[in-house]
Amino acid sequence: PDPVKAELALAQEAFAQGKYLEPANESALDLYRSALALDPNNAEALAGIRAVTDKVLERAEAALLAERIEEAIVSIERARDIDAQHPRLAFLDTQIARERERLKLSQAQEVGNRVAALLSQAGERMRTGRLIAPANSNARDALLEARRLDPTNPAVAQSIRELAGELTEQARQLVAQNKLDEAQAYVSAARQLGSA
């Protein structure tokens, strides 16, 4: 029998079974490439390789729709390795770029919402005198978390300056009352916020 036709028949069988890329040497891709090695201009082998690429890109599109961006990227890169000239690659690259941008904006919005909530908590805690205590429920902890999430936010910086001023004032009052240990806790908290 003609070895090219034999490889093509095996490739078509593997394709029909969904063995597009795996197992090695028995996948549709490997068998179409084998036929192409025997007959470099074989139209059926070239069409088979394009069909395998289409299937890989279908996986990429399904992953994109399901918002599994990393999985989509892996499939797109596999397709690019198989057929770098495939016409759908440019479109999918654009879709990946858009999805990445959308995810960045979504994450930035989530961070912004969280920082706003922390600033609100810190303000309420400052009004009720919970500057550095109780642990995990005080103004200092809320502002430190807000600064960790968004270190360049001017509202966070302003709130930290306000809290540092209040801490310094509390320390002065405690020193005047000769409560030096308590005053030291407020001084340390102010330094932790970056106050001189």
Side-chain angles (χ1 to χ4, degrees):
D2 181 350
V4 175
K5 286 184 180 175
E7 289 295 298
L8 289 172
L10 289 171
Q12 290 164 354
E13 186 179 324
F15 189 90
Q17 294 173 0
K19 298 177 182 175
Y20 308 119
L21 303 173
E22 303 284 334
N25 301 322
E26 295 176 28
S27 69
L29 177 64
D30 290 339
L31 293 164
Y32 281 126
R33 283 180 170 167
S34 178
L36 205 57
L38 296 169
D39 180 4
N41 296 317
N42 187 290
E44 196 176 336
L46 289 169
I49 290 172
R50 177 59 58 100
V52 169
T53 309
D54 287 339
K55 289 294 184 184
V56 174
L57 289 174
E58 284 174 20
R59 287 182 189 167
E61 288 172 346
L64 258 177
L65 288 172
E67 297 184 356
R68 296 188 311 265
I69 193 166
E70 296 306 319
E71 184 180 324
I73 291 169
V74 168
S75 292
I76 289 169
E77 292 310 312
R78 278 189 183 150
R80 195 181 316 280
D81 289 344
I82 297 167
D83 183 359
Q85 304 306 313
H86 197 287
R88 287 167 62 197
L89 284 172
F91 169 75
L92 287 170
D93 287 341
T94 302
Q95 294 303 107
I96 290 288
R98 284 183 181 159
E99 185 63 17
R100 281 185 168 149
E101 190 60 31
R102 188 189 69 74
L103 287 173
K104 277 185 195 171
L105 289 173
S106 175
Q107 289 169 347
Q109 188 174 16
E110 287 175 22
V111 167
N113 291 343
R114 179 78 179 118
V115 168
L118 287 166
L119 286 173
S120 175
Q121 284 178 355
E124 178 60 30
R125 291 170 181 174
M126 286 167 68
R127 281 188 292 280
T128 58
R130 293 183 294 163
L131 303 179
I132 60 174
N136 300 322
S137 187
N138 60 63
R140 178 192 55 192
D141 291 347
L143 289 175
L144 288 175
E145 177 64 9
R147 183 168 66 185
R148 185 189 68 77
L149 290 171
D150 190 355
T152 61
N153 187 313
V156 172
Q158 178 60 34
S159 294
I160 286 175
R161 280 193 296 275
E162 289 171 11
L163 177 60
E166 285 196 35
L167 292 172
T168 304
E169 184 54 36
Q170 284 290 328
R172 282 191 186 114
Q173 290 175 14
L174 289 167
V175 166
Q177 297 169 17
N178 207 22
K179 297 179 179 177
L180 300 181
D181 289 341
E182 290 179 46
Q184 184 59 50
Y186 283 93
V187 169
S188 297
R191 284 201 178 120
Q192 186 181 15
L193 293 173
S195 176

